[in-house]
Amino acid sequence: MKNIYSIGIGLIGGSLAKDIKELKPEVIIHGISRKESTLNDALALNLIDKKATLDDLKNADLVIISIPVDATVKLLPTILDLIPETGLVVDAGSTKVDICKVVENHPKRRNFLAMHPIAGTEHSGPAAAISGLFQGKTNIVCEVEKTTFKLQEKALKLFSDIGMRIRYMNPEAHDKHIAYVSHLSHISSFMLGKTVIDKERNERDIFDMAGSGFASTVRLAKSSPAMWTPIFKQNKSNVIETLDEYIENLTHFKELMEQDNFDAIYKEMESTNYIKDILNGIH
Ligand code: NAP
């Protein structure tokens, strides 16, 4: 694997480029992006070796797509058209149903592997790229059987070499489960941030009272709307289902407060403390 093309060199594309370069110094990472300034930043940060365009994909051994999921759905068929017969395309998108669907009948479907590396931060763009982001994290791979065996092996080896565990899932199960553990957490953080900003807009001093609990709970509200809006759009029905359940829990909590039922509130929190056991070993 000599020529790797990274389409999108933000947090995910840039961090993958860093880890791959560290692991395989002989590889040439070619960067493709909409904006010239993004490519210049990526070059300056040593994330890529060269600038490239879609026409250069005919030379690609591997193409890594790390752009917003709506842009991936639009561009993926063209990327598959442009790569050589031996080329492999992987995407890092946070939703999988629409992405898998758009190429289900593509003549080069077997050159594509759908994945979602479960790793990230709230930052975006080339400057957000960090080494070791994927170490010990899970890479969810969808519809592995639809990818040529040799290309599957290549991809899975690369991602396990950068420290990832591989987990297989169908796209529907991926989108349903990820709505709970990732998409709902982001909405909850955005709306918590909004609630506090709306209330305290004219009282900057109040933020001096904000401790690490507030900071860690609203951390995800710093995330990029350009990346998240297409995720919510593609996973709309699953996200709405999680929101219904979340709102029901919030309403129930409020009702217990109104009823002065603090024994029940204690029990709600005590049973949710079980999250410690679940998360033990993840963070
Ligand atoms: P990011 O840091 O914002 O980088 C996105 C990149 O995509 C930028 O290089 C940008 O380049 C390009 N881009 C933006 N809009 C585009 C469009 N409409 N068409 C083509 N290119 C566009 O985002 P990221 O966090 O790396 O996320 C990339 C992908 O990884 C997304 O599909 C996301 O769902 C997935 N993902 C994210 C996380 C996370 O925690 N952030 C985790 C796992 C997977 P220009 O500036 O040149 O437009």
Side-chain angles (χ1 to χ4, degrees):
M1 216 182 306
K2 179 114 180 80
N3 287 299
I4 298 185
Y5 287 75
S6 184
I7 303 183
I9 319 141
L11 168 70
I12 299 297
S15 300
L16 280 171
K18 262 180 180 267
D19 283 358
I20 293 171
K21 265 169 79 106
E22 210 158 288
L23 187 73
K24 295 173 176 288
E26 72 284 4
V27 157
I28 301 171
I29 311 249
H30 305 258
I32 299 179
S33 207
R34 281 183 313 179
K35 295 188 201 143
E36 193 66 20
S37 59
T38 305
L39 287 177
N40 291 337
D41 290 348
L43 266 178
L45 289 160
N46 259 326
L47 301 175
I48 58 171
D49 299 301
K50 291 181 174 179
K51 297 183 192 180
T53 66
L54 290 178
D55 289 338
D56 300 319
L57 292 181
K58 57 183 179 296
N59 305 313
D61 297 311
L62 170 65
V63 181
I64 302 174
I65 309 174
S66 320
I67 55 179
V69 289
D70 57 339
T72 302
V73 167
K74 263 194 219 142
L75 205 54
L76 181 56
T78 308
I79 293 167
L80 281 175
D81 290 341
L82 292 169
I83 57 155
E85 289 298 330
T86 51
L88 167 67
V89 178
V90 299
D91 89 291
S94 304
T95 53
K96 293 271 75 77
V97 169
D98 286 9
I99 290 172
C100 288
K101 194 146 189 57
V102 76
V103 289
E104 66 183 347
N105 297 317
H106 194 286
K108 290 208 193 110
R109 172 63 185 86
R110 294 181 66 73
N111 296 65
F112 171 61
L113 187 67
M115 49 175 235
H116 179 193
I118 310 293
T121 72
E122 65 278 25
H123 305 299
S124 50
I130 45 177
S131 303
L133 179 67
F134 305 99
Q135 187 64 45
K137 302 287 168 49
T138 301
N139 194 10
I140 299 184
V141 169
C142 293
E143 298 188 329
V144 70
E145 71 289 351
K146 294 193 177 174
T147 310
T148 310
F149 187 65
K150 253 182 139 173
L151 294 177
Q152 281 177 34
E153 272 189 323
K154 235 186 190 179
L156 299 180
K157 167 136 186 28
L158 177 67
F159 288 98
S160 74
D161 284 349
I162 62 167
M164 302 204 80
R165 301 183 283 261
I166 311 293
R167 183 89 206 259
Y168 299 98
M169 218 175 254
N170 68 51
E172 289 75 19
H174 167 276
D175 286 10
K176 186 174 174 58
H177 297 307
I178 208 73
Y180 284 90
V181 290
S182 170
H183 304 177
L184 178 61
S185 330
H186 280 79
I187 296 172
S188 149
S189 186
F190 274 116
M191 290 305 104
L192 173 62
K194 174 183 158 63
T195 307
V196 178
I197 291 168
D198 284 352
K199 189 71 193 156
E200 309 291 354
R201 196 175 285 283
N202 301 317
E203 294 182 58
R204 277 222 56 88
D205 291 350
I206 203 86
F207 286 99
D208 293 343
M209 289 170 63
S212 61
F214 179 73
S216 64
T217 319
V218 292
R219 178 178 66 84
L220 297 176
K222 298 181 210 160
S223 302
S224 155
M227 196 191 95
W228 279 98
T229 309
I231 293 174
F232 296 145
K233 191 170 173 190
Q234 285 190 9
N235 207 19
K236 178 178 157 181
S237 59
N238 286 316
V239 171
I240 288 177
E241 200 179 313
T242 67
L243 276 172
D244 281 341
E245 291 167 31
Y246 188 49
I247 291 164
E248 202 175 294
N249 280 329
L250 286 175
T251 306
H252 177 63
F253 197 95
K254 185 180 163 208
E255 282 165 2
L256 294 177
M257 294 280 293
E258 285 166 347
Q259 294 155 10
D260 282 324
N261 193 347
F262 291 99
D263 288 341
I265 282 179
Y266 184 98
K267 285 192 186 112
E268 285 279 346
M269 292 192 288
E270 190 180 41
S271 64
T272 311
N273 277 159
Y274 172 57
I275 204 83
K276 280 191 249 179
D277 299 335
I278 298 174
L279 292 180
N280 202 6
I282 295 184
H283 295 288

